[in-house]
mmCIF file of all heavy atoms in Angstrom:
data_model
loop_
_atom_site.group_PDB
_atom_site.id
_atom_site.type_symbol
_atom_site.label_atom_id
_atom_site.label_comp_id
_atom_site.label_asym_id
_atom_site.label_seq_id
_atom_site.Cartn_x
_atom_site.Cartn_y
_atom_site.Cartn_z
ATOM 1 N N SER A 14 33.653 -13.856 -59.685
ATOM 2 C CA SER A 14 34.214 -13.334 -60.928
ATOM 3 C C SER A 14 34.197 -14.429 -61.981
ATOM 4 O O SER A 14 34.433 -15.586 -61.680
ATOM 5 C CB SER A 14 35.627 -12.819 -60.709
ATOM 6 O OG SER A 14 36.457 -13.847 -60.233
ATOM 7 N N PRO A 15 33.885 -14.051 -63.201
ATOM 8 C CA PRO A 15 33.830 -15.033 -64.265
ATOM 9 C C PRO A 15 35.193 -15.639 -64.518
ATOM 10 O O PRO A 15 36.217 -15.067 -64.150
ATOM 11 C CB PRO A 15 33.355 -14.212 -65.472
ATOM 12 C CG PRO A 15 32.839 -12.963 -64.913
ATOM 13 C CD PRO A 15 33.557 -12.739 -63.629
ATOM 14 N N PRO A 16 35.246 -16.884 -65.185
ATOM 15 C CA PRO A 16 36.535 -17.482 -65.545
ATOM 16 C C PRO A 16 37.325 -16.574 -66.475
ATOM 17 O O PRO A 16 36.775 -15.711 -67.159
ATOM 18 C CB PRO A 16 36.124 -18.787 -66.251
ATOM 19 C CG PRO A 16 34.719 -19.029 -65.876
ATOM 20 C CD PRO A 16 34.110 -17.690 -65.601
ATOM 21 N N HIS A 17 38.653 -16.740 -66.511
ATOM 22 C CA HIS A 17 39.520 -15.942 -67.372
ATOM 23 C C HIS A 17 39.208 -16.240 -68.840
ATOM 24 O O HIS A 17 39.228 -17.396 -69.268
ATOM 25 C CB HIS A 17 40.992 -16.249 -67.091
ATOM 26 C CG HIS A 17 41.936 -15.508 -68.021
ATOM 27 N ND1 HIS A 17 42.130 -14.139 -67.910
ATOM 28 C CD2 HIS A 17 42.695 -15.941 -69.043
ATOM 29 C CE1 HIS A 17 42.995 -13.767 -68.846
ATOM 30 N NE2 HIS A 17 43.358 -14.857 -69.546
ATOM 31 N N THR A 18 38.844 -15.201 -69.585
ATOM 32 C CA THR A 18 38.543 -15.354 -71.004
ATOM 33 C C THR A 18 39.243 -14.266 -71.810
ATOM 34 O O THR A 18 39.665 -13.247 -71.274
ATOM 35 C CB THR A 18 37.024 -15.241 -71.248
ATOM 36 O OG1 THR A 18 36.552 -13.973 -70.721
ATOM 37 C CG2 THR A 18 36.291 -16.391 -70.568
ATOM 38 N N LYS A 19 39.343 -14.526 -73.115
ATOM 39 C CA LYS A 19 39.931 -13.535 -74.006
ATOM 40 C C LYS A 19 38.945 -12.401 -74.280
ATOM 41 O O LYS A 19 37.741 -12.545 -74.107
ATOM 42 C CB LYS A 19 40.323 -14.179 -75.349
ATOM 43 C CG LYS A 19 41.420 -15.229 -75.260
ATOM 44 C CD LYS A 19 41.715 -15.773 -76.664
ATOM 45 C CE LYS A 19 42.783 -16.850 -76.613
ATOM 46 N NZ LYS A 19 43.033 -17.416 -77.970
ATOM 47 N N ASP A 20 39.477 -11.278 -74.722
ATOM 48 C CA ASP A 20 38.639 -10.186 -75.223
ATOM 49 C C ASP A 20 38.474 -10.410 -76.723
ATOM 50 O O ASP A 20 39.387 -10.197 -77.511
ATOM 51 C CB ASP A 20 39.296 -8.832 -74.948
ATOM 52 C CG ASP A 20 38.437 -7.682 -75.456
ATOM 53 O OD1 ASP A 20 37.299 -7.938 -75.902
ATOM 54 O OD2 ASP A 20 38.911 -6.525 -75.422
ATOM 55 N N TRP A 21 37.299 -10.877 -77.109
ATOM 56 C CA TRP A 21 37.054 -11.240 -78.506
ATOM 57 C C TRP A 21 36.520 -10.072 -79.343
ATOM 58 O O TRP A 21 36.263 -10.241 -80.538
ATOM 59 C CB TRP A 21 36.049 -12.389 -78.569
ATOM 60 C CG TRP A 21 36.608 -13.676 -78.076
ATOM 61 C CD1 TRP A 21 36.545 -14.163 -76.803
ATOM 62 C CD2 TRP A 21 37.356 -14.649 -78.826
ATOM 63 N NE1 TRP A 21 37.189 -15.357 -76.722
ATOM 64 C CE2 TRP A 21 37.699 -15.706 -77.939
ATOM 65 C CE3 TRP A 21 37.765 -14.731 -80.159
ATOM 66 C CZ2 TRP A 21 38.418 -16.804 -78.349
ATOM 67 C CZ3 TRP A 21 38.479 -15.848 -80.553
ATOM 68 C CH2 TRP A 21 38.809 -16.867 -79.660
ATOM 69 N N SER A 22 36.358 -8.908 -78.719
ATOM 70 C CA SER A 22 35.734 -7.800 -79.441
ATOM 71 C C SER A 22 36.552 -7.338 -80.642
ATOM 72 O O SER A 22 36.001 -6.861 -81.632
ATOM 73 C CB SER A 22 35.501 -6.630 -78.476
ATOM 74 O OG SER A 22 36.732 -6.202 -77.922
ATOM 75 N N GLU A 23 37.873 -7.469 -80.570
ATOM 76 C CA GLU A 23 38.732 -6.989 -81.659
ATOM 77 C C GLU A 23 39.205 -8.126 -82.566
ATOM 78 O O GLU A 23 39.945 -7.895 -83.520
ATOM 79 C CB GLU A 23 39.960 -6.274 -81.062
ATOM 80 C CG GLU A 23 39.632 -5.033 -80.249
ATOM 81 C CD GLU A 23 38.955 -3.954 -81.068
ATOM 82 O OE1 GLU A 23 39.252 -3.848 -82.269
ATOM 83 O OE2 GLU A 23 38.103 -3.228 -80.509
ATOM 84 N N ILE A 24 38.799 -9.355 -82.262
ATOM 85 C CA ILE A 24 39.252 -10.502 -83.053
ATOM 86 C C ILE A 24 38.198 -10.838 -84.097
ATOM 87 O O ILE A 24 37.023 -10.995 -83.781
ATOM 88 C CB ILE A 24 39.516 -11.721 -82.148
ATOM 89 C CG1 ILE A 24 40.639 -11.399 -81.167
ATOM 90 C CG2 ILE A 24 39.884 -12.948 -82.996
ATOM 91 C CD1 ILE A 24 40.935 -12.526 -80.208
ATOM 92 N N SER A 25 38.605 -10.911 -85.340
ATOM 93 C CA SER A 25 37.698 -11.253 -86.415
ATOM 94 C C SER A 25 38.470 -11.988 -87.498
ATOM 95 O O SER A 25 39.693 -11.953 -87.553
ATOM 96 C CB SER A 25 37.028 -9.990 -86.990
ATOM 97 O OG SER A 25 38.015 -9.084 -87.447
ATOM 98 N N VAL A 26 37.735 -12.662 -88.325
ATOM 99 C CA VAL A 26 38.343 -13.403 -89.432
ATOM 100 C C VAL A 26 37.873 -12.776 -90.734
ATOM 101 O O VAL A 26 36.678 -12.765 -91.024
ATOM 102 C CB VAL A 26 37.949 -14.895 -89.379
ATOM 103 C CG1 VAL A 26 38.538 -15.633 -90.573
ATOM 104 C CG2 VAL A 26 38.425 -15.517 -88.088
ATOM 105 N N HIS A 27 38.790 -12.206 -91.477
ATOM 106 C CA HIS A 27 38.465 -11.545 -92.734
ATOM 107 C C HIS A 27 38.743 -12.476 -93.903
ATOM 108 O O HIS A 27 39.615 -13.347 -93.837
ATOM 109 C CB HIS A 27 39.294 -10.274 -92.906
ATOM 110 C CG HIS A 27 39.103 -9.277 -91.802
ATOM 111 N ND1 HIS A 27 38.075 -8.372 -91.785
ATOM 112 C CD2 HIS A 27 39.801 -9.075 -90.657
ATOM 113 C CE1 HIS A 27 38.147 -7.633 -90.695
ATOM 114 N NE2 HIS A 27 39.191 -8.047 -89.988
ATOM 115 N N SER A 28 38.008 -12.269 -94.962
ATOM 116 C CA SER A 28 38.319 -13.012 -96.181
ATOM 117 C C SER A 28 39.702 -12.595 -96.661
ATOM 118 O O SER A 28 40.075 -11.430 -96.616
ATOM 119 C CB SER A 28 37.263 -12.707 -97.249
ATOM 120 O OG SER A 28 37.197 -11.320 -97.501
ATOM 121 N N ASP A 29 40.486 -13.563 -97.065
ATOM 122 C CA ASP A 29 41.887 -13.324 -97.379
ATOM 123 C C ASP A 29 42.023 -12.538 -98.680
ATOM 124 O O ASP A 29 41.460 -12.912 -99.717
ATOM 125 C CB ASP A 29 42.631 -14.651 -97.489
ATOM 126 C CG ASP A 29 44.108 -14.478 -97.227
ATOM 127 O OD1 ASP A 29 44.594 -13.371 -97.475
ATOM 128 O OD2 ASP A 29 44.744 -15.444 -96.773
ATOM 129 N N LEU A 30 42.766 -11.417 -98.604
ATOM 130 C CA LEU A 30 42.998 -10.582 -99.785
ATOM 131 C C LEU A 30 44.103 -11.142 -100.671
ATOM 132 O O LEU A 30 44.222 -10.761 -101.831
ATOM 133 C CB LEU A 30 43.378 -9.159 -99.357
ATOM 134 C CG LEU A 30 42.383 -8.448 -98.422
ATOM 135 C CD1 LEU A 30 42.967 -7.129 -97.977
ATOM 136 C CD2 LEU A 30 41.058 -8.238 -99.128
ATOM 137 N N CYS A 31 44.915 -12.048 -100.106
ATOM 138 C CA CYS A 31 46.101 -12.500 -100.838
ATOM 139 C C CYS A 31 45.745 -13.255 -102.101
ATOM 140 O O CYS A 31 46.516 -13.257 -103.068
ATOM 141 C CB CYS A 31 46.968 -13.371 -99.933
ATOM 142 S SG CYS A 31 47.612 -12.483 -98.504
ATOM 143 N N VAL A 32 44.566 -13.926 -102.108
ATOM 144 C CA VAL A 32 44.229 -14.698 -103.298
ATOM 145 C C VAL A 32 44.034 -13.790 -104.501
ATOM 146 O O VAL A 32 44.450 -14.098 -105.622
ATOM 147 C CB VAL A 32 42.968 -15.541 -103.035
ATOM 148 C CG1 VAL A 32 43.262 -16.634 -102.047
ATOM 149 C CG2 VAL A 32 41.822 -14.678 -102.542
ATOM 150 N N VAL A 33 43.415 -12.627 -104.251
ATOM 151 C CA VAL A 33 43.232 -11.672 -105.349
ATOM 152 C C VAL A 33 44.580 -11.092 -105.770
ATOM 153 O O VAL A 33 44.893 -10.970 -106.956
ATOM 154 C CB VAL A 33 42.262 -10.550 -104.933
ATOM 155 C CG1 VAL A 33 42.080 -9.565 -106.069
ATOM 156 C CG2 VAL A 33 40.928 -11.145 -104.513
ATOM 157 N N GLY A 34 45.381 -10.720 -104.782
ATOM 158 C CA GLY A 34 46.697 -10.155 -105.093
ATOM 159 C C GLY A 34 47.597 -11.141 -105.811
ATOM 160 O O GLY A 34 48.374 -10.770 -106.703
ATOM 161 N N THR A 35 47.502 -12.418 -105.427
ATOM 162 C CA THR A 35 48.324 -13.438 -106.081
ATOM 163 C C THR A 35 47.956 -13.567 -107.554
ATOM 164 O O THR A 35 48.842 -13.655 -108.432
ATOM 165 C CB THR A 35 48.137 -14.787 -105.368
ATOM 166 O OG1 THR A 35 48.479 -14.637 -103.995
ATOM 167 C CG2 THR A 35 49.004 -15.856 -105.995
ATOM 168 N N LEU A 36 46.655 -13.576 -107.815
ATOM 169 C CA LEU A 36 46.221 -13.655 -109.209
ATOM 170 C C LEU A 36 46.671 -12.422 -109.988
ATOM 171 O O LEU A 36 47.124 -12.514 -111.138
ATOM 172 C CB LEU A 36 44.700 -13.811 -109.262
ATOM 173 C CG LEU A 36 44.076 -13.814 -110.660
ATOM 174 C CD1 LEU A 36 44.679 -14.921 -111.527
ATOM 175 C CD2 LEU A 36 42.565 -13.981 -110.566
ATOM 176 N N ARG A 37 46.545 -11.267 -109.335
ATOM 177 C CA ARG A 37 46.971 -10.034 -110.016
ATOM 178 C C ARG A 37 48.457 -10.076 -110.355
ATOM 179 O O ARG A 37 48.875 -9.693 -111.460
ATOM 180 C CB ARG A 37 46.668 -8.837 -109.119
ATOM 181 C CG ARG A 37 47.182 -7.513 -109.672
ATOM 182 C CD ARG A 37 46.657 -6.333 -108.862
ATOM 183 N NE ARG A 37 46.958 -6.467 -107.455
ATOM 184 C CZ ARG A 37 48.153 -6.160 -106.932
ATOM 185 N NH1 ARG A 37 49.156 -5.761 -107.705
ATOM 186 N NH2 ARG A 37 48.357 -6.291 -105.631
ATOM 187 N N ARG A 38 49.278 -10.535 -109.417
ATOM 188 C CA ARG A 38 50.719 -10.605 -109.694
ATOM 189 C C ARG A 38 51.046 -11.622 -110.786
ATOM 190 O O ARG A 38 51.951 -11.411 -111.599
ATOM 191 C CB ARG A 38 51.453 -10.939 -108.402
ATOM 192 C CG ARG A 38 51.469 -9.797 -107.402
ATOM 193 C CD ARG A 38 52.410 -10.094 -106.246
ATOM 194 N NE ARG A 38 51.969 -11.248 -105.470
ATOM 195 C CZ ARG A 38 51.127 -11.170 -104.459
ATOM 196 N NH1 ARG A 38 50.619 -9.993 -104.097
ATOM 197 N NH2 ARG A 38 50.773 -12.260 -103.797
ATOM 198 N N ALA A 39 50.301 -12.743 -110.756
ATOM 199 C CA ALA A 39 50.541 -13.747 -111.797
ATOM 200 C C ALA A 39 50.230 -13.198 -113.185
ATOM 201 O O ALA A 39 50.955 -13.461 -114.166
ATOM 202 C CB ALA A 39 49.695 -14.986 -111.511
ATOM 203 N N LEU A 40 49.148 -12.439 -113.248
ATOM 204 C CA LEU A 40 48.799 -11.856 -114.538
ATOM 205 C C LEU A 40 49.814 -10.791 -114.968
ATOM 206 O O LEU A 40 50.100 -10.629 -116.172
ATOM 207 C CB LEU A 40 47.401 -11.249 -114.470
ATOM 208 C CG LEU A 40 46.244 -12.259 -114.299
ATOM 209 C CD1 LEU A 40 44.928 -11.515 -114.114
ATOM 210 C CD2 LEU A 40 46.170 -13.191 -115.487
ATOM 211 N N SER A 41 50.337 -10.055 -113.974
ATOM 212 C CA SER A 41 51.314 -9.015 -114.301
ATOM 213 C C SER A 41 52.582 -9.594 -114.921
ATOM 214 O O SER A 41 53.224 -8.948 -115.776
ATOM 215 C CB SER A 41 51.660 -8.216 -113.045
ATOM 216 O OG SER A 41 50.518 -7.561 -112.567
ATOM 217 N N GLU A 42 52.943 -10.801 -114.508
ATOM 218 C CA GLU A 42 54.146 -11.449 -115.050
ATOM 219 C C GLU A 42 53.979 -11.794 -116.525
ATOM 220 O O GLU A 42 54.955 -11.935 -117.276
ATOM 221 C CB GLU A 42 54.457 -12.718 -114.247
ATOM 222 C CG GLU A 42 54.864 -12.444 -112.814
ATOM 223 C CD GLU A 42 55.020 -13.702 -111.997
ATOM 224 O OE1 GLU A 42 54.756 -14.792 -112.563
ATOM 225 O OE2 GLU A 42 55.402 -13.587 -110.820
ATOM 226 N N LEU A 43 52.724 -11.939 -116.950
ATOM 227 C CA LEU A 43 52.452 -12.254 -118.354
ATOM 228 C C LEU A 43 52.131 -11.008 -119.187
ATOM 229 O O LEU A 43 51.737 -11.107 -120.357
ATOM 230 C CB LEU A 43 51.272 -13.230 -118.448
ATOM 231 C CG LEU A 43 51.439 -14.574 -117.729
ATOM 232 C CD1 LEU A 43 50.136 -15.351 -117.782
ATOM 233 C CD2 LEU A 43 52.573 -15.376 -118.322
ATOM 234 N N LYS A 44 52.259 -9.864 -118.550
ATOM 235 C CA LYS A 44 51.804 -8.630 -119.193
ATOM 236 C C LYS A 44 52.549 -8.338 -120.504
ATOM 237 O O LYS A 44 51.968 -7.782 -121.444
ATOM 238 C CB LYS A 44 51.988 -7.468 -118.223
ATOM 239 C CG LYS A 44 51.433 -6.148 -118.751
ATOM 240 C CD LYS A 44 51.556 -5.056 -117.693
ATOM 241 C CE LYS A 44 50.980 -3.745 -118.227
ATOM 242 N NZ LYS A 44 51.064 -2.671 -117.208
ATOM 243 N N GLU A 45 53.833 -8.704 -120.552
ATOM 244 C CA GLU A 45 54.646 -8.398 -121.736
ATOM 245 C C GLU A 45 54.074 -9.065 -122.986
ATOM 246 O O GLU A 45 54.051 -8.472 -124.058
ATOM 247 C CB GLU A 45 56.081 -8.846 -121.500
ATOM 248 C CG GLU A 45 57.025 -8.467 -122.636
ATOM 249 C CD GLU A 45 58.466 -8.809 -122.309
ATOM 250 O OE1 GLU A 45 58.711 -9.256 -121.160
ATOM 251 O OE2 GLU A 45 59.302 -8.657 -123.188
ATOM 252 N N ARG A 46 53.606 -10.306 -122.848
ATOM 253 C CA ARG A 46 53.055 -11.007 -124.006
ATOM 254 C C ARG A 46 51.564 -10.797 -124.166
ATOM 255 O O ARG A 46 51.022 -10.889 -125.256
ATOM 256 C CB ARG A 46 53.334 -12.512 -123.867
ATOM 257 C CG ARG A 46 54.784 -12.896 -124.054
ATOM 258 C CD ARG A 46 54.946 -14.402 -124.011
ATOM 259 N NE ARG A 46 54.523 -14.961 -122.728
ATOM 260 C CZ ARG A 46 54.212 -16.240 -122.560
ATOM 261 N NH1 ARG A 46 54.216 -17.064 -123.586
ATOM 262 N NH2 ARG A 46 53.874 -16.670 -121.360
ATOM 263 N N LEU A 47 50.881 -10.558 -123.038
ATOM 264 C CA LEU A 47 49.416 -10.482 -123.075
ATOM 265 C C LEU A 47 48.952 -9.168 -122.457
ATOM 266 O O LEU A 47 48.102 -9.137 -121.585
ATOM 267 C CB LEU A 47 48.817 -11.652 -122.315
ATOM 268 C CG LEU A 47 49.318 -13.043 -122.704
ATOM 269 C CD1 LEU A 47 48.937 -14.041 -121.632
ATOM 270 C CD2 LEU A 47 48.768 -13.472 -124.044
ATOM 271 N N SER A 48 49.582 -8.056 -122.870
ATOM 272 C CA SER A 48 49.361 -6.764 -122.207
ATOM 273 C C SER A 48 47.896 -6.338 -122.214
ATOM 274 O O SER A 48 47.396 -5.846 -121.199
ATOM 275 C CB SER A 48 50.227 -5.682 -122.876
ATOM 276 O OG SER A 48 49.904 -5.591 -124.267
ATOM 277 N N LYS A 49 47.209 -6.510 -123.297
ATOM 278 C CA LYS A 49 45.829 -6.045 -123.361
ATOM 279 C C LYS A 49 44.937 -6.832 -122.401
ATOM 280 O O LYS A 49 44.170 -6.243 -121.616
ATOM 281 C CB LYS A 49 45.310 -6.178 -124.780
ATOM 282 C CG LYS A 49 43.891 -5.639 -124.944
ATOM 283 C CD LYS A 49 43.442 -5.723 -126.393
ATOM 284 C CE LYS A 49 42.012 -5.193 -126.548
ATOM 285 N NZ LYS A 49 41.547 -5.249 -127.949
ATOM 286 N N GLU A 50 45.029 -8.193 -122.452
ATOM 287 C CA GLU A 50 44.205 -9.021 -121.575
ATOM 288 C C GLU A 50 44.561 -8.798 -120.095
ATOM 289 O O GLU A 50 43.686 -8.698 -119.227
ATOM 290 C CB GLU A 50 44.389 -10.489 -121.938
ATOM 291 C CG GLU A 50 43.841 -10.883 -123.298
ATOM 292 C CD GLU A 50 44.867 -10.643 -124.409
ATOM 293 O OE1 GLU A 50 45.870 -9.931 -124.156
ATOM 294 O OE2 GLU A 50 44.665 -11.166 -125.515
ATOM 295 N N ILE A 51 45.887 -8.709 -119.831
ATOM 296 C CA ILE A 51 46.327 -8.540 -118.447
ATOM 297 C C ILE A 51 45.896 -7.192 -117.887
ATOM 298 O O ILE A 51 45.460 -7.094 -116.737
ATOM 299 C CB ILE A 51 47.848 -8.693 -118.356
ATOM 300 C CG1 ILE A 51 48.265 -10.115 -118.721
ATOM 301 C CG2 ILE A 51 48.344 -8.358 -116.949
ATOM 302 C CD1 ILE A 51 47.711 -11.174 -117.828
ATOM 303 N N ASP A 52 46.012 -6.119 -118.694
ATOM 304 C CA ASP A 52 45.621 -4.784 -118.211
ATOM 305 C C ASP A 52 44.145 -4.746 -117.824
ATOM 306 O O ASP A 52 43.763 -4.188 -116.790
ATOM 307 C CB ASP A 52 45.914 -3.741 -119.285
ATOM 308 C CG ASP A 52 47.402 -3.459 -119.434
ATOM 309 O OD1 ASP A 52 48.150 -3.849 -118.512
ATOM 310 O OD2 ASP A 52 47.800 -2.863 -120.444
ATOM 311 N N THR A 53 43.309 -5.345 -118.634
ATOM 312 C CA THR A 53 41.870 -5.341 -118.362
ATOM 313 C C THR A 53 41.542 -6.124 -117.085
ATOM 314 O O THR A 53 40.808 -5.668 -116.202
ATOM 315 C CB THR A 53 41.105 -5.935 -119.547
ATOM 316 O OG1 THR A 53 41.385 -5.164 -120.733
ATOM 317 C CG2 THR A 53 39.608 -5.922 -119.281
ATOM 318 N N GLU A 54 42.130 -7.348 -116.982
ATOM 319 C CA GLU A 54 41.832 -8.185 -115.824
ATOM 320 C C GLU A 54 42.427 -7.611 -114.543
ATOM 321 O O GLU A 54 41.809 -7.665 -113.486
ATOM 322 C CB GLU A 54 42.368 -9.597 -116.081
ATOM 323 C CG GLU A 54 41.962 -10.612 -115.037
ATOM 324 C CD GLU A 54 40.467 -10.875 -115.006
ATOM 325 O OE1 GLU A 54 39.767 -10.530 -115.999
ATOM 326 O OE2 GLU A 54 39.979 -11.403 -113.992
ATOM 327 N N THR A 55 43.640 -7.028 -114.668
ATOM 328 C CA THR A 55 44.287 -6.462 -113.477
ATOM 329 C C THR A 55 43.475 -5.292 -112.920
ATOM 330 O O THR A 55 43.324 -5.156 -111.693
ATOM 331 C CB THR A 55 45.700 -5.995 -113.831
ATOM 332 O OG1 THR A 55 46.472 -7.101 -114.279
ATOM 333 C CG2 THR A 55 46.380 -5.386 -112.614
ATOM 334 N N LYS A 56 42.952 -4.463 -113.797
ATOM 335 C CA LYS A 56 42.163 -3.329 -113.333
ATOM 336 C C LYS A 56 40.922 -3.799 -112.572
ATOM 337 O O LYS A 56 40.585 -3.264 -111.509
ATOM 338 C CB LYS A 56 41.755 -2.475 -114.527
ATOM 339 C CG LYS A 56 40.947 -1.247 -114.139
ATOM 340 C CD LYS A 56 40.593 -0.418 -115.358
ATOM 341 C CE LYS A 56 39.769 0.807 -114.952
ATOM 342 N NZ LYS A 56 39.396 1.629 -116.133
ATOM 343 N N ARG A 57 40.265 -4.827 -113.083
ATOM 344 C CA ARG A 57 39.066 -5.343 -112.417
ATOM 345 C C ARG A 57 39.398 -5.931 -111.052
ATOM 346 O O ARG A 57 38.697 -5.694 -110.050
ATOM 347 C CB ARG A 57 38.410 -6.410 -113.291
ATOM 348 C CG ARG A 57 37.074 -6.911 -112.732
ATOM 349 C CD ARG A 57 36.528 -8.028 -113.597
ATOM 350 N NE ARG A 57 37.323 -9.231 -113.440
ATOM 351 C CZ ARG A 57 37.176 -10.091 -112.441
ATOM 352 N NH1 ARG A 57 36.280 -9.852 -111.491
ATOM 353 N NH2 ARG A 57 37.913 -11.171 -112.372
#
């Protein structure tokens, strides 16, 4: 029997979504003063 190993079929490394979300939240905080610029960038 082979040595004890992990099941790697379900393990993967995804690109982190938090960086996009962090930028979006940062822009949202400035929305009151920069609503037009923030709305456009947030949508993208």
Side-chain angles (χ1 to χ4, degrees):
S14 59
H17 176 71
T18 56
K19 295 181 181 178
D20 180 6
W21 290 92
S22 60
E23 297 298 328
I24 297 178
S25 58
V26 177
H27 301 276
S28 57
D29 204 333
L30 305 174
C31 297
V32 291
V33 180
T35 303
L36 176 57
R37 175 171 55 81
R38 289 190 296 272
L40 293 175
S41 297
E42 293 174 358
L43 301 174
K44 185 176 181 179
E45 185 175 355
R46 289 185 299 160
L47 308 164
S48 58
K49 183 177 179 179
E50 293 87 346
I51 295 299
D52 287 345
T53 301
E54 188 65 17
T55 299
K56 181 179 179 181
R57 185 184 71 82

